[in-house]
Amino acid sequence: TDSARHRRAGAAQVAIVSSDRWAIVNELRDAPEPSLQEVLDKLEPCDLVLVEGYKTAPIPKIEARRREGHAGRALAEDDSNVIAVASDYEIADNTLPRFALDDISAIADFILKTVGSRR
């Protein structure tokens, strides 16, 4: 796309705009990745923020495990902030709630029950 070409050519920011949505992509270049708090500070007020990444952040997490994924240690083994596990295979761990990775309704219900909803 043109936006990707502009980024590759060195643009520090690219705006992507359509009749349905818009986004601004910032290139970090050699700058450090922003902290989770810095990203949250840029969001408008909302009821819930779902975060992908920031594995070491001290926030409640649902660990996603994929059979084809990383073969290392499970995040839940070392991180007490992991509150559930969603996987595409059976796991033996009975200490945390477990969900099928594609059971979106059950995961959404768990999130609402766990963190609450203002509605």
Side-chain angles (χ1 to χ4, degrees):
T1 67
D2 290 338
S3 300
R5 279 200 312 265
H6 293 309
R7 285 182 35 247
R8 285 192 300 271
Q13 286 187 319
V14 176
I16 303 167
V17 182
S18 76
S19 61
D20 295 321
R21 67 191 55 84
W22 69 275
I24 295 177
V25 178
N26 290 293
E27 294 298 320
L28 292 176
R29 297 195 177 139
D30 292 326
E33 178 180 292
S35 70
L36 178 56
Q37 190 59 54
E38 289 171 312
V39 174
L40 294 174
D41 289 344
K42 294 187 182 300
L43 297 177
E44 293 182 15
C46 61
D47 293 329
L48 178 68
V49 175
L50 298 177
V51 176
E52 183 178 1
Y54 293 98
K55 288 183 182 181
T56 61
I59 57 174
K61 301 173 182 87
I62 298 176
E63 180 178 358
R65 296 184 191 169
R66 291 179 178 80
R67 184 179 316 280
E68 303 287 327
H70 189 278
R73 231 171 128 79
L75 184 62
E77 292 180 33
D78 299 316
D79 188 341
S80 62
N81 291 302
V82 175
I83 59 172
V85 176
S87 66
D88 63 359
Y89 61 93
E90 278 296 316
I91 57 173
D93 181 0
N94 289 324
T95 60
L96 294 170
R98 296 180 319 254
F99 301 96
L101 201 55
D102 61 355
D103 192 351
I104 306 305
S105 294
I107 295 169
D109 288 345
F110 174 78
I111 291 170
L112 287 176
K113 276 192 260 180
T114 303
V115 301
S117 173
R118 289 193 237 175
R119 294 183 182 177

